[in-house]
Amino acid sequence: MTISQHQVLVIGAGVVGLSTALYLRRAGLEVTVLDPLGPAGGASFGNAGMLSPDTATPIAMPGMLRKVPGWLRDPLGPLAVRPSYFPRALPWLLQWVKAGRLQRVLAVSDAMRALHRDTLTCWRELLGDALYRDLIRPSGQVHVWERDDASPTEAVEQQIRDRHGIASQELSADDLRQMFPGIARDITRGLFVPGNGYTVSPQRIVHSLAELFRAAGGTIIAERAMKLIPREGGGWLAMTNLANRNADRVVVAAGAWSAQLLSPLGIRVPLETERGYHAMLFSPSVTPPIPISSKTRAFFMTPMEDGLRIAGTVEIAGLDAPPDERRATILVEHARRLFPELQAGDVRYWMGFRPSTPDSLPILGAASGQNGLYLAFGHGHFGMSGGPPSGRLLARLMTGQSPGIDPAPYDVRRFTH
Ligand SMILES: Cc1cc2nc3c(=O)[nH]c(=O)nc-3n(C[C@H](O)[C@H](O)[C@H](O)COP(=O)(O)OP(=O)(O)OC[C@H]3O[C@@H](n4cnc5c(N)ncnc54)[C@H](O)[C@@H]3O)c2cc1C
């Protein structure tokens, strides 16, 4: 058997792998991407499409623990942990709790801000002006609450926005009714974040990265990397389901599956999957003009080019358990709490695997002690925002350019040392 030789192998063709691959290719490297599912076959397919330069709030927050028991009592609430999976998830959950301390949250918010603030700039760099305008709407996003009372995390969220000079505007019930005709009467309070936006198609935007990458001379191969083996004298052997491939350098960007490839190398990362769901309504009777999220029920409604997407919630149940379709169907019920007149029409239900670290920051950069191995995963709830800036950061690090932002907060050693 001949063994193919590659300069750079990128494992995973989601938003993170393809952003990295395209930046690397444009920097002049020979780059090949492996993914058995092709572009956007993972979480990048079905997310809510939020592109959020002005989101710098991690998921674990002070005060949040108080909400968790109530959420867990409701099997269809915003957070569910499958009882049989609980023992496996426990170490990650404990790290998640630790990450929710205020000092850590503020430090994480600094690193999230540094990464996310350039998301629209990076998307424009990657897509070019015409595709950017076709696929991205810098419209702002609206968050709403069902009750008047403040949630325990709100004060810290405002502290984070103030810390980073992020503009936001409180919305009254009247403001909301003007922006979203037909919105329910018990939605009395909202927050407009004007600097954020969304894509009208997560799938098409990631496929566009793939097309641009191919047009720039990159290659995408439908193979699954089964094992990574360091070669004597340098470089890596990737055993795939169909071939053996040698590479000078390998980038692991396999989303929620990244830890599986790394643990045989002794690299143990706290990567859990927060499974999320969407209901895609192809002929909805109501379409909000801009994305609206329910902070009470933890989901987004996004007006996409092929219909209305209702996406969100978190289920901790690992990579193997089948989807719980009730978590997807309930999203339509949740959406009716915002828009009582909503008729769903044709619906597609979907589940995807968010690749999540306990502190909400991705793992980016060289794998310590493993020459030529690079890590780019763990973007959790924010990969559509963090993916392109992560690709730019990693490509700069790999090609000896100035990284532009401090890479230290994303270093894997925060977990392994
Ligand atoms: C319901 C939901 C809503 C979301 N909403 C938003 C949002 O509004 N905004 C936002 O920024 N983020 C959102 N996210 C998060 C976002 O979708 C993810 O962070 C992002 O897609 C992760 O990208 P990725 O490239 O790391 O992983 P993925 O898109 O999952 O890609 C990983 C790829 O690696 C491939 N792969 C795995 N193992 C191997 C292997 N061994 N060999 C080769 N290939 C392999 C897989 O086939 C897959 O295609 C949401 C996620 C969900 C589930």
Side-chain angles (χ1 to χ4, degrees), residues 5-332:
Q5 294 288 339
H6 304 275
Q7 219 170 52
V8 182
L9 270 184
V10 175
I11 298 175
V15 65
V16 177
L18 285 170
S19 298
T20 308
L22 187 49
Y23 272 115
L24 285 170
R25 180 70 204 120
R26 287 187 181 161
L29 277 72
E30 182 265 321
V31 185
T32 299
V33 177
L34 301 183
D35 194 321
L37 303 181
S44 302
F45 171 83
N47 56 70
M50 297 301 114
L51 306 180
S52 310
D54 282 355
T55 296
T57 310
I59 300 299
M61 289 279 280
M64 196 168 244
L65 263 190
R66 266 184 281 151
K67 289 170 105 178
V68 169
W71 285 340
L72 291 179
R73 269 197 298 278
D74 175 2
L76 300 179
L79 170 69
V81 182
R82 287 223 189 152
S84 58
Y85 191 74
F86 184 75
R88 271 189 72 182
L90 187 60
W92 186 92
L93 290 168
L94 292 174
Q95 289 193 61
W96 184 87
V97 170
K98 215 169 127 193
R101 293 180 187 151
L102 183 61
Q103 282 319 308
R104 179 68 187 138
V105 163
L106 295 178
V108 165
S109 89
D110 293 349
M112 281 181 81
R113 175 70 169 156
L115 198 65
H116 290 177
R117 68 182 308 154
D118 277 350
T119 183
L120 297 179
T121 307
C122 290
W123 275 113
R124 196 187 281 278
E125 271 174 16
L126 288 170
L127 295 172
D129 282 345
L131 272 173
Y132 179 91
R133 279 197 303 273
D134 181 25
L135 282 156
I136 289 177
R137 303 283 179 274
S139 60
Q141 298 164 2
V142 168
H143 308 291
V144 296
W145 288 262
E146 274 175 36
R147 292 170 291 276
D148 269 330
D149 53 334
S151 85
T153 60
E154 265 183 70
V156 181
E157 288 178 34
Q158 187 58 49
Q159 187 180 350
I160 288 172
R161 281 192 293 274
D162 293 343
R163 183 180 176 90
H164 301 298
I166 291 170
S168 65
Q169 185 192 332
E170 296 208 359
L171 300 173
S172 66
D174 281 350
D175 297 330
L176 287 167
R177 253 157 280 297
Q178 274 180 26
M179 285 177 95
F180 301 102
I183 197 166
R185 294 210 156 271
D186 59 347
I187 308 295
T188 51
R189 202 160 57 85
L191 190 82
F192 179 52
V193 183
N196 285 343
Y198 69 105
T199 174
V200 294
S201 175
Q203 182 188 21
R204 193 157 69 84
I205 207 169
V206 175
H207 275 269
S208 299
L209 294 180
E211 278 162 32
L212 289 162
F213 173 65
R214 286 197 188 97
T219 307
I220 302 176
I221 299 176
E223 286 175 19
R224 179 183 301 282
M226 309 291 285
K227 189 164 186 189
L228 299 174
I229 303 164
R231 298 178 61 219
E232 266 178 43
W236 289 83
L237 169 67
M239 288 176 65
T240 81
N241 58 324
L242 299 177
N244 284 182
R245 299 185 176 278
N246 284 338
D248 300 336
R249 292 191 276 181
V250 171
V251 178
V252 175
W257 298 270
S258 300
Q260 295 173 347
L261 283 168
L262 297 172
S263 62
L265 296 165
I267 304 171
R268 299 219 156 66
V269 286
L271 187 73
E272 188 46 76
T273 179
E274 293 180 81
R275 296 145 55 111
Y277 290 80
H278 84 211
M280 187 72 208
L281 279 48
F282 294 101
S283 46
S285 62
V286 174
T287 302
I290 65 171
I292 177 168
S293 87
S294 163
K295 296 292 264 186
T296 310
R297 292 166 189 268
F299 71 92
F300 272 94
M301 296 175 74
T302 315
M304 291 196 172
E305 64 185 7
D306 46 1
L308 175 63
R309 182 164 295 180
I310 310 166
T313 84
V314 169
E315 180 189 41
I316 308 283
L319 290 166
D320 300 322
D324 178 353
E325 70 284 359
R326 295 172 309 160
R327 294 191 68 75
T329 53
I330 199 78
L331 284 168
V332 179

